[in-house]
Amino acid sequence: MSVLSHPDRLDMLLVGVGGQGTILASQIIGRAALAAGYDVKMSEVHGMAQRGGSVVTHVRLGRTVCSPLVARGDADVILAFEQLEALRWLPYLKPGGTLIASSQIVPPVTVLAGLARCPDDVPSYLYRHARTLEVDALDRARACGNPRAANVVLLGVLARELPLPLEVWLRAVRECVPERFLGVNLAAFEAGYNYRDG
Amino acid sequence: MMMKELMTGNEAVARGAYEHGVLVGVGYPGTPSTEILENFARYEGVLAQWAPNEKVALEVAIGASMAGARAIVTMKHVGVNVAADPLFSAAYIGVNGGLVLVSADDPGMHSSQNEQDNRQYARFARVPCFEPSDSQEALDMVGLALAVSEEYDIPVMLRLTTRIAHSRSLVKLGERRLPPRRPYEKNIQKWLILPAHARVRRRDLEERLQKLAALSETVPVNFIAWGDRRVGVITSGVAYQYVREVLPRASILKLGMTYPLPAGLIARFAREVERLFVVEELDPYLEDFVRGLGIKVEGKEFFPAIGELSPELVRAGFEKAGVLEPRGLPVLDDLPVPPVRPPVLCPGCPHRGVFYVLGRLKLTVTGDIGCYTLGALPPLSAMDTCVCMGASIGMAYGLELVDPERAAKTVAVIGDSTFYHSGMTGLLHMVYHKSRGTVIILDNGTTAMTGHQDHPGTGRTLSGEEAPVVDLEALVRALGVRRVRVVDPLDVARLTEAVKEEVAAPEVSVIIARRPCTLLKREPRRPVRVEEERCKGCRTCLKAGCPALSVREKKAVVDDVLCSGCGLCVQICPQGALVGGGVVGA
Ligand code: SF4
Ligand code: SF4
């Protein structure tokens, strides 16, 4: 099944914690979408937030795209690398949109130091407000040889939901990932792509 | 077939500089401008350099232009404050080869200490300004700016904002065309502005600006897209994209050249539309100009002057103005607010040791700009001030000047790159005035915050060549500091000792806390282990604020993916429950 109800426009957010690899994932999406003939705009976060802060990448595909930012309440899909960030950005999802979320929770240092609290039972909120696909991306990536490839596992899950052909995705992964990490990342992508099959 | 690529605005500016024959690119790293020069440096046949600061960068570029080559200078918005001195004079003297200053502004302060609208600088310094709205325009406007610079004998500002610099969109690639080098001829009436020459150049500048104002009326980057004439919108930069998104049928006057502004074009547009709006990010720069022409216009009452615009803010503005029906999004009011997630020092960051020690010694810490500003956040909470590049040193001395006792309770903390940028002169001032103060230079051998750029202390240049390494101890001594010592920032006992001694010493002292940024040295490390029977769950180790460390059910837990084995927590735990760490094989 595809989340693309109107294939001439698709708005996505990739959200996570600085250092989790949102930018690589968005670059792969951009390449793939381009190869499939879409106009693409994306907006990234560089600089200070990349040091473990909250980060978001906007990705927009369509015939012609104007704004590089997705408007609040317009995202067709949110790909969340971490659950507190999924919660933070949930208001950007449009009613009926899809959330693909890693099951990982990374508590901010303020929480670790006992200066702030995490809300209880985050997944229940996510399930209540969105068509949610929860993915144990970290474990899957570890099984593929490197927990840092969790981003590409999630990308694989997303790829299955989008109307782009598999070859286009695989080519984009090959073009964006450095040679020495390619094996792990292709395995991670496949693990994500086949995730729904069990 | 024409090659098309998805590029960030920064990559596109670099590409534009390459295609349009720029020989020299200079700058100082600063978000959101950094990747321009990094990308420019990858092209064949260019000279790309990091300068110690933006003023030097612009001066090098002025020289390169004088020698007849095309040059670009890149910096973030606050960098233009540093480069403002040469900029204002450069407008008088003009150019030989085309000279473009790229200012990357940061509305919303994603990675900055302030927001400033540098279109104001263009007007203030009297240099033309171009503002792209996507990557293709960014590429093309570099070419336009260079041509205008040469034809009108003036440096040109290309003003980006974060959402242009760091957004990707499609770009058509072209070939590099290298213009012939223009010969340099001695001409002190132009290049040497003592008052007699400057008075002549001042008048000449006004003539050049009048010609540029005429250009602004006809230049294709200022254009009208007619639509429904009931609403007309004047806009520039990324705001243009939001307006097109939100009001696809409105008439739009899109301004790509925003200094000098086209008074005639604006007046003509205003006459033809029923309601006239200006939608722009930050200052009411266009709006004030339009109003100054005696034209009725609406803008900042609907579109905020503080922070970034976004499609939803532009929509909300037009809803408030009665142009659009309210859309009414569902409110998710039962959603809990997740805890904020500010950035943190990386696990294994050498700075963490310094702020842990300074916090324990309860010193007043004047801080500076870099990753280490994060030492101000809890739980480290060990910084009192941050103003601008280099301010830590002058401010520490100012405190001491008024309250001499304070010297024994205050340290200035500044990174290596920031010290070379603008810390040295402050230290010279301290020596000159017999300060008793203490400066800690956090020497992690890189410009970390912006993504690890080289500087005069790294032994490498932007183009990857080996370079002489500045001898920091000798440099500090040469400034007149006698008490100079080097300490490992992750050695808590030695560092504590050193800081106590130096703040007590009756003369100015410098402690160099030296250890490479943990992201630079990628040797395999052993994570720390927890000996559970020893751990009492006292949470003392959490005072270091390391993201790899937590206490769950009264036992410390180390995240072995994140932990770099730096050993700081091992020294902090009073029970000896944290063990191991260090470099594998050492
Ligand atoms: S990048 Fe380097 S300097 Fe910056 S926080 Fe991480 S370890 Fe520290
Ligand atoms: S050794 Fe301790 S302080 Fe250092 S990175 Fe590991 S957990 Fe953090």
Side-chain angles (χ1 to χ4, degrees), chain A residues 51, chain B residues 345-346 349-351 371 444 448 452 517-519:
Chain A
R51 301 276 172 271
Chain B
L345 296 173
C346 300
C349 176
H351 302 332
C371 285
N444 64 357
H452 304 93
C517 167
T518 179
L519 297 188

Side-chain angles (χ1 to χ4, degrees), chain A residues 27 41-44 48 51 54 60 66-67 69 71-72 74 82 85 88 92 106 109 112 128-129, chain B residues 111 163 166-168 170 241-242 245 312 327 329 334 336 339 341 343-344 448-449 539 542 549-550:
Chain A
Q27 274 170 0
K41 278 196 181 166
M42 307 198 280
S43 192
E44 303 163 358
M48 203 160 220
R51 301 276 172 271
S54 160
R60 306 192 66 212
C66 299
S67 161
L69 294 182
R72 180 183 284 256
D74 270 359
E82 197 274 342
E85 296 310 315
R88 192 183 318 280
Y92 272 73
V106 180
V109 209
L112 296 181
R128 189 164 339 135
H129 286 287
Chain B
S111 262
R163 292 299 173 189
H166 287 161
S167 292
R168 286 176 195 275
L170 277 175
Q241 306 291 5
Y242 303 151
E245 189 83 36
E312 56 267 27
R327 174 158 86 138
L329 282 174
D334 71 321
R341 189 190 299 279
V344 276
M449 176 90 272
R539 308 173 75 88
L542 298 185
L549 204 56
S550 55

Side-chain angles (χ1 to χ4, degrees), chain B residues 347-348 352 528 546 548-549 558 562-570:
Chain B
R352 181 171 283 110
V528 158
C546 174
L549 204 56
V558 172
L562 288 178
C563 172
S564 80
C566 77
L568 178 64
C569 55
V570 175

